[in-house]
Amino acid sequence: MKWYQKYLSIYGKALSDIPDGTILQIRNQLQSLQSDDPEVSVVVIAHNEGQRLLACLWSLSELQSQWRLEIMGVNNQSDDNTEELFRLTGLPYHNEERKSPGFARQCGLVHSRGRYHFFIDADTMYPPYYIDLLMEKLSAPAKNGQPETVAVGSLWSYYPDANHSAWGLHLFEFIRDCFLFVQHFKRPELCIRGMVFAFRADYARKEQIRTDIRRGEDGSLALSLKKYGRIQFVYNRQARPVTGYGTLGNESLFKSLLYRIRYQLRGISRIFFKTNHYEDRDDNLINPRTQT
């Protein structure tokens, strides 16, 4: 059985359909992981994730780690029962009333205490050794004159369902992963996704998580961290979370893959050259620039 199968059994379900015993189990296990002196902060951001959050928290409650952890939540202006789920599971959380992933990530960073910080998305399920596999690279001392590692990313998968076959997903992910592997040599910030991103909190606090954009706050932070050291990636399949289809939309895998190939082929040479600056498109700005 796949490691995420039991979490998937409650993924997408209403609270009324989830056994009380499962919620109690999640609550007890989360509490057992919390440290008063955390080395690693694991921060779940959630906006209207009432039907997916418990599956995410269940997976986090079964993390196997040698590191002292704090696991906390950020409720980002939800109008469903997201906040109630944080309360039911006893997870420490903060309310961020300004809506955007950037504001939610910033709220989590401000209130976290660990030297290392993990971004976590509430619609994603995490394997038990996820933290330690990323920490192997993030905490390793610099060697042979190499800059220290300041951030780490990993890959991710989608769960098969009636509309997405296992073989189709494997093909889709294989092509995507090959592209990301090539891209990461010169443009590692473009390979970062918020659901699979960990970094040194002390350096991140010297920078600013962007709150003026609709998406890309994760890659923007990674770009700003490059001045302090290296961004590395973990390709171990045991460090690969499983998520839903929010980033794929309602299109078929074939159409989604075709769209991404066409998009990336435009100016494909860009992935072979480093840059420290990106121009924002107006459609990604929360307050677009106006023509003068």
Side-chain angles (χ1 to χ4, degrees), residues 3-4 6-8 10-11 26 29-30 33 42 44 52-64 71 120-131 241-242:
W3 63 265
Y4 58 84
K6 64 177 179 181
Y7 312 133
L8 200 58
I10 66 171
Y11 192 90
I26 296 169
Q29 291 177 170
L30 283 172
L33 290 175
V42 180
V44 186
R52 292 173 288 270
L53 177 57
L54 280 178
C56 172
L57 296 182
W58 193 0
S59 71
L60 295 179
S61 78
E62 297 189 330
L63 289 172
Q64 302 292 316
I71 304 175
I120 299 291
D121 282 0
D123 63 350
T124 303
M125 296 161 283
Y126 292 82
Y129 300 105
Y130 174 74
I131 299 295
V242 172

Side-chain angles (χ1 to χ4, degrees), residues 16-274:
S16 58
D17 295 327
I18 298 175
D20 292 340
T22 300
I23 298 173
L24 181 60
Q25 177 187 350
I26 296 169
R27 182 185 181 96
N28 291 338
Q29 291 177 170
L30 283 172
Q31 290 178 348
S32 71
L33 290 175
Q34 301 285 16
S35 170
D36 293 330
D37 182 28
E39 300 165 292
V40 175
S41 297
V42 180
V43 182
V44 186
I45 67 165
H47 167 71
N48 288 348
E49 291 290 357
Q51 294 193 338
R52 292 173 288 270
L53 177 57
L54 280 178
C56 172
L57 296 182
W58 193 0
S59 71
L60 295 179
S61 78
E62 297 189 330
L63 289 172
Q64 302 292 316
S65 180
Q66 64 178 342
W67 297 85
R68 299 190 304 273
L69 306 179
E70 69 169 347
I71 304 175
M72 57 184 285
V74 176
N75 173 38
N76 189 202
Q77 207 184 70
S78 299
D79 54 19
D80 66 353
N81 65 340
T82 293
E83 186 175 4
E84 179 186 1
L85 298 182
F86 280 137
R87 286 200 302 265
L88 283 173
T89 57
L91 193 74
Y93 71 94
H94 299 273
N95 285 315
E96 174 53 68
E97 297 302 330
R98 295 166 296 181
K99 182 182 173 183
S100 87
F103 282 121
R105 305 281 193 205
Q106 185 66 36
C107 176
L109 183 59
V110 166
H111 290 98
S112 64
R113 295 173 292 159
R115 184 186 182 196
Y116 304 98
H117 193 101
F118 277 69
F119 279 173
I120 299 291
D121 282 0
D123 63 350
T124 303
M125 296 161 283
Y126 292 82
Y129 300 105
Y130 174 74
I131 299 295
D132 282 22
L133 287 169
L134 268 63
M135 285 298 296
E136 282 182 13
K137 288 200 172 185
L138 187 54
S139 65
K143 294 181 180 179
N144 302 322
Q146 289 275 5
E148 67 177 329
T149 299
V150 297
V152 174
S154 73
L155 300 173
W156 67 99
S157 291
Y158 303 96
Y159 61 85
D161 64 8
N163 298 315
H164 304 87
S165 66
W167 71 266
L169 287 170
H170 283 311
L171 177 61
F172 179 92
E173 291 167 12
F174 175 76
I175 296 172
R176 179 204 64 195
D177 295 350
C178 287
F179 175 80
L180 291 176
F181 179 76
V182 173
Q183 182 175 249
H184 95 276
F185 289 102
K186 298 294 185 179
R187 299 285 185 93
E189 66 277 1
L190 293 180
C191 301
I192 290 293
R193 299 295 184 273
M195 74 182 102
V196 284
F197 185 29
F199 51 85
R200 284 272 301 271
D202 52 348
Y203 290 134
R205 291 191 178 103
K206 296 179 181 180
E207 301 299 323
Q208 182 69 38
I209 296 179
R210 292 188 61 181
T211 59
D212 61 330
I213 50 179
R214 302 180 192 281
R215 56 195 174 276
E217 81 290 342
D218 38 24
S220 177
L221 177 59
L223 179 66
S224 68
L225 292 175
K226 280 171 60 176
K227 67 171 71 74
Y228 302 105
R230 289 194 298 167
I231 300 173
Q232 294 202 71
F233 289 84
V234 175
Y235 297 106
N236 190 323
R237 291 198 69 86
Q238 293 187 61
R240 185 183 287 246
V242 172
T243 192
Y245 296 94
T247 58
L248 289 182
N250 296 320
E251 291 187 335
S252 68
L253 284 175
F254 175 76
K255 287 184 178 179
S256 184
L257 179 61
L258 191 60
Y259 168 80
R260 282 162 171 76
I261 291 174
R262 287 173 175 170
Y263 177 81
Q264 295 296 346
L265 283 176
R266 294 190 219 116
I268 188 66
S269 61
R270 72 187 182 281
I271 72 172
F272 301 108
F273 302 94
K274 294 182 179 180

